[in-house]
Amino acid sequence: MNCLICGSIFQSPPTWRKLFIYEIEPTACNRCLSKFEKTSPEIDFSDFQGTYYEGAVDSVTTFYTYNEAMKSYLHQYKFLQDVALAQVFADELRHVFEAKEGIVVPIPMHPEKLLQRTFAQVDELLNCAEIPFKQLLAKTETNEQGKKTKKERLEAKSLFKVIDKIEAQNYLLFDDIYTTGTTIHHAAKVLKEAGAKRIDAITLIKG
Ligand SMILES: [Zn+2]
């Protein structure tokens, strides 16, 4: 088949594993995949500022660094709306979520942004990995986080509101990229305030 990233033809080697375990077929060639750089999976919380929102998330797990290969992947995926690219990490995501327990909650997009981008990129990563999820959060404001200073971001009102009933259970927040952590912390905080017992976050990339 053709690699979704570079377009070259590649063959996925047959393995015995495939006969016994359901696996999602690789959709990118090894040369492209090898350019993505793994990151240390657990985020270090020690440089947090102790703001109102921090402390709600119990753990954050990430997979990849934001290197050149990942930058161009994200650009192609998000801005050029290449939906098929969601398949590239499907198998990996599926394995990680299988090992965790909780209701999966993707970080939502603001409706205006959804119109611009045409599809919900975060949801689509989960769809491709066949991970069931619940849309329990909605964005409360349109302001781009990137345009604020760090102080403004930390003091801002919550970025999310809860739109459905939250049980005293574990929830798994999912986002494509973890940069300042603001998004994950705000989302975790509103879920905890609504009654969630534990919040683990998973993001594909550590920015
Ligand atoms: Zn390739």
Side-chain angles (χ1 to χ4, degrees), residues 13 37 68 93 110 138 145:
E37 187 189 345
E68 281 307 315
L93 284 175
H110 193 277
Q145 281 180 37

Side-chain angles (χ1 to χ4, degrees), residues 171-184:
Y171 287 84
L172 301 172
L173 274 175
F174 178 65
D175 204 0
D176 50 0
I177 186 163
Y178 181 103
T179 43
T180 62
T182 307
T183 303
I184 291 291

Side-chain angles (χ1 to χ4, degrees), residues 3 6 8 29 32:
C3 170
C6 69
S8 70
C29 73
C32 284

Side-chain angles (χ1 to χ4, degrees), residues 14 45 48 50 66 72 80 85 109 113 124 137 143 188 206:
F45 289 103
F48 285 178
Y66 191 54
S72 83
L80 309 178
L85 281 178
M109 275 170 117
K113 207 168 204 177
E124 199 52 35
L137 298 171
N143 290 355
K206 165 86 172 78

Side-chain angles (χ1 to χ4, degrees), residues 132-146:
F133 60 86
K134 278 187 179 170
Q135 201 60 266
L136 298 174
L137 298 171
K139 275 251 165 160
T140 53
E141 60 172 328
T142 54
N143 290 355
E144 291 273 347
Q145 281 180 37

